[in-house]
Each structure stands twice: as C-alpha cells, then as structure tokens.
Amino acid sequence: MLEAKLPVDLVALRAGRNLALHTRDAQQGRHAASLDVVLVHGSCASMLQWSAQIDALAERHNVVAYDAYGCGRSPKPNDWHAYSAAQHVEDLKAVVRRCSGDGRRRRRRRTVIVAHSAACSWALQASLDEPVAIDGLVLLGGLDAKPEAASHPIFRFPVRCLEGIQPLLSAGFEERALHPRTRAGASQEHRELMELCAETNRSNSMYMCKVSPRPDSRSCALRGAHSVTVILTRHVPRQRRLTTGSSKWCRWIHSRVSRCQRCYL
C-alpha cells in the first residue's frame, strides 16, 4: 500500500498547525545532494500522487512531500479559516524553511518547489515572500483563472448537505481531472490511480471543499520578487518553447514573478 511506502512524521511546523511530512534523502547522502525538492499536491489530493516521482528524484536529490492541511494524513479540523489559501501558503513557506535552514542566505543546497493544480498559486506567493529562499518553481496544470465549477452555487450549501452529495462531487471531480483512459482503467496503474483517487475523495473534509473556491485577498496583493526560474507545463505539443509575450499563461506568470528567467510550456 502506498501509505506504507511513504511513511510520515506529524510535524509541528507552525504554532498549532501540524502537517504530515515524508522526507527522503538522496541516495548519496543528504549533505551530498545539491538540491532540495519540495512536492506540493493540489487541493483535495494527497502526497501519495507523488510516489513514483519521489522514487525517481531521490536518486540524486533530497525530497520532501507533505499532505496539505485537511488532506491525506494531516489533521482535518472543522474550521473554516484553517483551509484558506493564505494558510496554505504559510504552511509551504514553513516546509521550505525546514529544508533550507530557516531561510539563511548561505545555503549549500538549492530549493525547488514542484506544485500541482491549486498549489501552483501557493508556490508563486511563497516565492514572492521573504525571507523564504526558493530557487525554482515547476508548475504543473495550474490555472490562469478560477474554474467555473469553483463558483457553482452548490458550494453555498451547508456542509451537512455537501456531505450528503459528496459521492456526486467526487465523481464530477474525477471526470474533470482524470484522462478518459485513466477513468476507463486501461492498465493496472490506471486502476490503482482510480482507487487512490476514490479513497482520497472519501476522506476529504467538506469544510475544506467549501472554503477552497472562495477568493483570497492575498492573491490580489502580489509584490515584486527576487529572480526565480519558473517551468510551466500544460497540454501543448511536446518540445514547444514559448517566449515571454506569446502566451496568456506566460504573461500571467510574469505579472506575478517580476524577473522570471525561463518559461517552458
């Protein structure tokens, strides 16, 4: 089982806020590695989605993955404010500080965040906030606008009502998030992924799902940043390289990271 493969420690990274962390040192030793990689899953998911990537990355790098608050093996309190975007950003910054030695300028290793889906915005904000030192971002499947489903009136229903229709919400999520071949169970890996997705969805707190679509004021107050490498991925033809001004997605990123060195889609 994946949970057994990825054991966690429940770590108090901030006052009153514990997160389930999985750490994997590079095969040649923690201090021999030149890179710390922080893997951040999207909303309503878990670190288990990174299992294969953790195995591959740990051959050369130190790897940290964690379950966001309300997800996976992290606590799931019935507290609206616990799941705001601002809180998720502060959690990510705390994880990075743990990797980089409290953000000291003289570090032996670089820090790169690999973020998926909703976590892309958390990673962008964290890279803009000092004194957290982040050397690169890999943004997977991010959005340049809030999805229409997130604004659906259904999310205004009381939590008890959402809990009653949670299977329908989970089915809708799978239809939008997963490839048709995956949903059809075309291979053993696809079937295992579907089982993992269903298990993760069942464990999600509706408090978290109800809060997630709400806009956060911090997203409108981004400031200038230090230089950071950003790699973007999206469903476009392979090996396509885009310049700064040729893509709406790149323009959106550049509006948030003032001196982005490199963008690939």
Side-chain angles (χ1 to χ4, degrees), residues 203-241:
S203 68
N204 285 334
S205 165
M206 285 296 102
Y207 278 86
M208 175 184 62
C209 295
K210 187 175 172 70
V211 169
S212 293
R214 296 183 179 181
D216 185 76
S217 59
R218 288 189 52 152
S219 64
C220 302
L222 301 178
R223 304 181 300 278
H226 56 279
S227 181
V228 60
T229 297
V230 180
I231 299 175
L232 315 177
T233 68
R234 217 172 61 163
H235 291 298
V236 295
R238 187 174 296 178
Q239 302 299 328
R240 182 179 178 188
R241 193 179 206 180

Side-chain angles (χ1 to χ4, degrees), residues 1-40:
M1 191 173 179
L2 283 178
E3 286 192 353
K5 183 181 177 182
L6 299 178
V8 299
D9 294 315
L10 201 59
V11 180
L13 291 173
R14 298 199 289 138
R17 198 154 169 109
N18 300 331
L19 291 178
L21 262 67
H22 173 79
T23 57
R24 186 89 60 89
D25 292 345
Q27 291 183 0
Q28 69 267 37
R30 177 172 182 79
H31 297 292
S34 61
L35 196 67
D36 290 332
V37 181
V38 180
L39 300 173
V40 195

